Amino acid sequence: MKTVRIGHVTPSSNIWLEPLTYAMNRPFDGRVTHHFSRIRVTHLALESSSEAQFQLEPMLAGARLLADAPIDAIVWNGTSASWRGLENDHMLCDAIRNQTGLTVSTSTIAFYKTFSEFGWKKIGLALPYTSDVAADIAREYGRQGLTVTGRAQLGIRENVGIGAASPDDIRRILREAAAGKPDCIAVVCTNFNATELVEEMEAELGIPIVDSIAITFREALKITDAWAPIAGWGKVLASA
């Protein structure tokens, strides 16, 4: 059986997505492997220094390095298009595909595909970011035809601080995001370990949780025809 190899372009300051991706991949050991290339991302804010981190060329450079290996697909494992605009990720995918010939997707594309797949229109947002970034995510969701029923955020700017968020802080904003009775709660950030809390908090809240790290993993396997449902990570990953 051919091994499926997936390349991930990731923020340099991320500590969570790699170990969590490996953990979710255990049912696929021997069949799917994951390989990572980093671009410099240290903070998330609505300012020029933050915007500069997400320009096309650094991402293309990371993708080209991944494509030196015999891989089958590349994903941008980051959520910047959630506030910068979905068209940015479509342009990124086109550019990577043109340079590498590989299948490409992103975390933000995975979000919108998941919402569409399950018919979820009313979204609660649970975010680590500052309030202005959170407001831009809510506006972008509205632009994509979704209704944001409420948002909760921790107000963290530095990505290292996001990675250090406590489980209790993550539980708190999930509860706050649930207050508006959404169809699902979106956890937008791939350096934020809500991933290991999804099953626990879905059981408590009775609302599906769409976690960035989990749905990017699922999307990567789906675009390579390697996906099969897995238990222990919540409703979305238990679905075909």
Side-chain angles (χ1 to χ4, degrees):
M1 180 183 296
K2 177 184 181 293
T3 299
V4 172
R5 297 184 176 91
I6 298 165
H8 301 250
V9 179
T10 70
S12 59
S13 48
N14 193 307
I15 62 168
W16 283 114
L17 71 86
E18 288 157 316
L20 288 167
T21 295
Y22 295 139
M24 290 183 287
N25 196 68
R26 284 180 189 132
F28 303 95
D29 281 353
R31 294 181 287 149
V32 180
T33 63
H34 298 268
H35 311 272
F36 298 87
S37 184
R38 292 185 173 231
I39 64 163
R40 187 164 180 77
V41 176
T42 60
H43 61 285
L44 297 311
L46 301 184
E47 58 189 46
S48 58
S49 62
S50 178
E51 177 68 13
Q53 299 172 123
F54 302 111
Q55 296 308 296
L56 185 59
E57 184 48 43
M59 293 202 188
L60 285 176
R64 286 192 295 264
L65 289 173
L66 287 166
D68 285 347
I71 60 173
D72 298 288
I74 293 175
V75 291
W76 159 229
N77 207 322
T79 56
S80 54
S82 296
W83 65 90
R84 297 181 68 236
L86 181 59
E87 63 275 7
N88 287 280
D89 271 9
H90 285 306
M91 288 188 291
L92 173 64
C93 288
D94 288 344
I96 293 174
R97 192 179 301 112
N98 288 338
Q99 291 207 7
T100 67
L102 295 169
T103 303
V104 188
S105 193
T106 75
S107 301
T108 302
I109 289 171
F111 266 112
Y112 290 121
K113 288 169 74 171
T114 302
F115 298 149
S116 176
E117 176 183 344
F118 288 91
W120 293 331
K121 297 287 190 180
K122 298 185 296 181
I123 315 297
L125 294 174
L127 311 167
Y129 306 124
T130 54
S131 60
D132 54 350
V133 174
D136 268 15
I137 293 172
R139 278 192 287 270
E140 175 64 13
Y141 273 36
R143 196 168 71 90
Q144 299 298 330
L146 301 169
T147 298
V148 173
T149 59
R151 67 178 194 264
Q153 60 270 334
L154 293 181
I156 304 173
R157 178 182 182 275
E158 301 300 322
N159 204 29
V160 169
I162 291 172
S166 72
D168 282 345
D169 280 342
I170 298 171
R171 291 185 181 98
R172 174 172 58 80
I173 62 169
L174 287 167
R175 293 179 182 123
E176 291 174 11
K181 306 298 183 186
D183 296 331
C184 69
I185 298 168
V187 180
V188 183
C189 182
T190 62
N191 192 31
F192 197 51
N193 187 14
T195 317
E196 292 182 307
L197 301 176
V198 168
E199 286 233 316
E200 170 197 330
M201 296 306 294
E202 285 184 341
E204 175 184 321
L205 301 171
I207 298 171
I209 296 170
V210 186
D211 171 75
S212 297
I213 300 171
I215 61 162
T216 307
F217 171 77
R218 181 174 183 256
E219 172 74 354
L221 271 68
K222 275 184 165 286
I223 63 175
T224 53
D225 296 322
W227 176 249
I230 57 175
W233 302 96
K235 176 182 175 67
V236 174
L237 266 61
S239 301

